[in-house]
Amino acid sequence: MMRAWNQGATALCLLLGLAVTCLGSATSLAREDLRIDITQGRFDPIPIAVRPFYGTQPDTETLGTHVADVISANLHRSGLFDPIDPAAFIGPVTGVQVRPRFGNWAALKAEALVKGSITPEPDGRLKFEYRLWDVARRADLVASSFTTPERNWRRVAHLISDQIYERVTGETGYFDTRIVYIAETGPRDRRVKRLAVMDQDGANHRYLTDGKHLVLTPRFSPTAQELVYLGYYQRNRPRVYLFNIVTGQQAVLGDFPGMTLAPRFAPDGTSVIMSMAKDGATNIYTLDLATRVQRRLTGSVSDINVSPTYSPDGEQVVFVSDRTGTKQLYVMRDDGSNMVRISREKGQYDTPVWSPRGDLIAFTKTRPPVPGSTDRYYIGVMRPDGRGERLLVGGYLVEGPTWSPNGRVLLYAEEQLERATGTIRRVLRSVDLTGQNHRVVPTPLEASDPAWSGLLQ
């Protein structure tokens, strides 16, 4: 619980100058304490009531409803909570300090209750307070306050969602995050592609490039404030760029001979790993951001080695190689030594990415359809030694998984084929590790190649 509160406090204090206060929390937990065990394959979502936040002034009443709506939507999308329809709520909206009438909420079968207040401060900022209650035990579980300008209300709602998620599941939340992706429009043979960024729920959407030049493979820095990506701005030649989301400033990271593919930050943010094609082979290189010194990790003379991704501790790299004739997954040390193949099942593999928890590697897989299915593409996971492979979702074309920062949810791109019309639409979707909680992530245009940030700082 305190870990989530500290992350939220740090994030908003650094970015917004926000004041955060812990109001109190349950410190000793009974055995029957409200909690979800998400290590189990199946479980029933917890019924939760998220009350509109009480506005102490008329102009904060509507905002109180908006805050509750965002919290409720976040928790619902996780698949772990079942928010109760506000139309069923009993009694007037009251402030956070007013003790709930637990019998009313028990009658609605709510197991958890969220109440909050919004109070204007003399300096023009707003104070957001909330409490999470265990209805059966009639005990408060989490309570804190955030003081910030009104424009930051959505971020406060995400931070509150993260705290509730962690208190009930025991794992860090993932709602105070961003998604970057490629927004696509136009005919298939003349596609316009733009960098776009948004909150994880699709809000605060904005385009970072104008679409006049091709852009590909955006990836976040560890701080989530910078992107590295490929841009074709000069003479239709790919160059690696750094883009600062906060300032809008852009700089060329490197102009490398041959084709450069899929740059990605190291976990400590001091270097970038990528693939470069030279002399008939494609190998994996690192580039030190301070010295611009390159270092080659693979030494193939004719093979293709692509899609490198670091483990969370930066000590290993997973990548794709066709050295055995088909695309398979390999793991090596960060200096290129101790290379081993980890994919063992039938099919070809691509776009591996290591879980932030280090326990799994997600990937795209292609294989011939099994009887009774037309699926050829799959999103799956396996352990870093290749054992325990599981396919979570299949489709006409699914690809490019990216992890939520708590390693519980995967976001990916899907091409949806409308067989009646023959039209194709590219969308973003998510699935959790159970393979059960499928969601569409809203975007204004067609979308591909997503990347999920870590928790904002």
Side-chain angles (χ1 to χ4, degrees), residues 268-283:
D268 63 5
T270 62
S271 63
V272 168
I273 193 168
M274 68 189 84
S275 298
M276 288 192 286
K278 290 183 180 181
D279 304 322
T282 302
N283 282 294

Side-chain angles (χ1 to χ4, degrees), residues 146-157:
F146 304 81
T147 302
T148 184
E150 181 177 346
R151 65 178 179 272
N152 300 319
W153 71 267
R154 290 191 67 93
R155 183 117 192 249
V156 170

Side-chain angles (χ1 to χ4, degrees), residues 382-402:
M382 65 174 66
R383 291 197 285 272
D385 61 4
R387 293 183 297 172
E389 178 176 319
R390 292 188 295 122
L391 301 181
L392 302 179
V393 64
Y396 168 75
L397 176 59
V398 293
E399 61 182 353
T402 179

Side-chain angles (χ1 to χ4, degrees), residues 291-359:
T291 65
R292 295 300 197 264
V293 172
Q294 297 180 27
R295 182 166 59 104
R296 191 172 74 174
L297 301 186
T298 57
S300 298
V301 296
S302 61
D303 302 324
I304 296 176
N305 303 281
V306 294
S307 300
T309 303
Y310 280 104
S311 60
D313 60 11
E315 296 183 357
Q316 298 182 86
V317 175
V318 62
F319 66 100
V320 176
S321 179
D322 69 348
R323 62 190 60 211
T324 60
T326 60
K327 294 193 295 182
Q328 301 296 326
L329 300 186
Y330 292 78
V331 167
M332 62 182 172
R333 299 288 299 174
D334 63 338
D335 61 1
S337 63
N338 296 337
M339 187 182 302
V340 295
R341 175 176 164 176
I342 63 169
S343 54
R344 300 168 182 170
E345 304 293 335
K346 292 182 179 180
Q348 299 197 57
Y349 297 78
D350 210 345
T351 63
V353 59
W354 221 299
S355 166
R357 301 191 302 188
D359 58 339

Side-chain angles (χ1 to χ4, degrees), residues 103-429:
N104 290 345
W105 300 106
L108 297 178
K109 301 188 184 308
E111 296 182 23
L113 168 66
V114 179
K115 289 187 61 180
S117 299
I118 304 175
T119 307
E121 295 286 275
D123 60 4
R125 296 183 299 168
L126 295 179
K127 183 177 183 180
F128 297 80
E129 301 175 82
Y130 90 98
R131 288 182 184 271
L132 170 67
W133 297 85
D134 182 329
V135 173
R137 294 178 59 228
R138 303 191 174 201
D140 62 328
L141 304 177
V142 178
S144 61
S145 70
F146 304 81
T147 302
T148 184
E150 181 177 346
R151 65 178 179 272
N152 300 319
W153 71 267
R154 290 191 67 93
R155 183 117 192 249
V156 170
H158 292 322
L159 286 166
I160 292 172
S161 303
D162 281 334
Q163 291 185 3
I164 295 169
Y165 182 96
E166 177 159 353
R167 179 58 187 81
V168 176
T169 69
E171 292 193 353
T172 304
Y174 58 90
F175 304 113
D176 187 32
T177 56
R178 294 190 181 112
I179 293 168
V180 65
Y181 72 99
I182 301 296
E184 300 190 20
T185 55
R188 296 291 150 183
D189 59 345
R190 296 190 307 277
R191 211 66 171 148
V192 175
K193 298 190 176 187
R194 289 185 279 178
L195 289 184
V197 67
M198 60 186 180
D199 294 349
Q200 53 79 28
D201 59 356
N204 293 323
H205 186 280
R206 60 191 173 108
Y207 299 106
L208 304 179
T209 58
D210 58 14
K212 293 180 180 179
H213 303 278
L214 180 64
V215 291
L216 298 171
T217 61
R219 299 293 182 262
F220 280 105
S221 70
T223 65
Q225 302 304 312
E226 288 186 303
L227 301 173
V228 61
Y229 73 98
L230 288 180
Y232 289 71
Y233 290 99
Q234 296 183 359
R235 299 185 298 277
N236 203 33
R237 193 164 107 190
R239 304 172 83 187
V240 180
Y241 290 85
L242 289 176
F243 187 97
N244 189 299
I245 297 176
V246 177
T247 66
Q249 293 181 329
Q250 181 169 276
V252 177
L253 176 60
D255 189 0
F256 309 105
M259 178 66 73
T260 307
L261 302 169
R264 190 185 291 265
F265 283 97
D268 63 5
T270 62
S271 63
V272 168
I273 193 168
M274 68 189 84
S275 298
M276 288 192 286
K278 290 183 180 181
D279 304 322
T282 302
N283 282 294
I284 295 172
Y285 293 77
T286 62
L287 177 71
D288 187 283
L289 295 179
T291 65
R292 295 300 197 264
V293 172
Q294 297 180 27
R295 182 166 59 104
R296 191 172 74 174
L297 301 186
T298 57
S300 298
V301 296
S302 61
D303 302 324
I304 296 176
N305 303 281
V306 294
S307 300
T309 303
Y310 280 104
S311 60
D313 60 11
E315 296 183 357
Q316 298 182 86
V317 175
V318 62
F319 66 100
V320 176
S321 179
D322 69 348
R323 62 190 60 211
T324 60
T326 60
K327 294 193 295 182
Q328 301 296 326
L329 300 186
Y330 292 78
V331 167
M332 62 182 172
R333 299 288 299 174
D334 63 338
D335 61 1
S337 63
N338 296 337
M339 187 182 302
V340 295
R341 175 176 164 176
I342 63 169
S343 54
R344 300 168 182 170
E345 304 293 335
K346 292 182 179 180
Q348 299 197 57
Y349 297 78
D350 210 345
T351 63
V353 59
W354 221 299
S355 166
R357 301 191 302 188
D359 58 339
L360 294 170
I361 292 171
F363 54 84
T364 303
K365 182 174 185 176
T366 57
R367 71 180 189 189
V370 298
S373 172
T374 59
D375 293 346
R376 301 181 64 92
Y377 288 82
Y378 299 86
I379 301 296
V381 294
M382 65 174 66
R383 291 197 285 272
D385 61 4
R387 293 183 297 172
E389 178 176 319
R390 292 188 295 122
L391 301 181
L392 302 179
V393 64
Y396 168 75
L397 176 59
V398 293
E399 61 182 353
T402 179
W403 290 95
S404 65
N406 67 351
R408 179 58 54 182
V409 182
L410 284 164
L411 183 69
Y412 61 95
E414 178 178 22
E415 281 195 358
Q416 297 178 336
L417 174 63
E418 296 291 339
R419 298 190 181 279
T421 62
T423 59
I424 296 174
R425 177 171 174 79
R426 307 202 77 181
V427 300
L428 302 184
R429 299 183 66 93

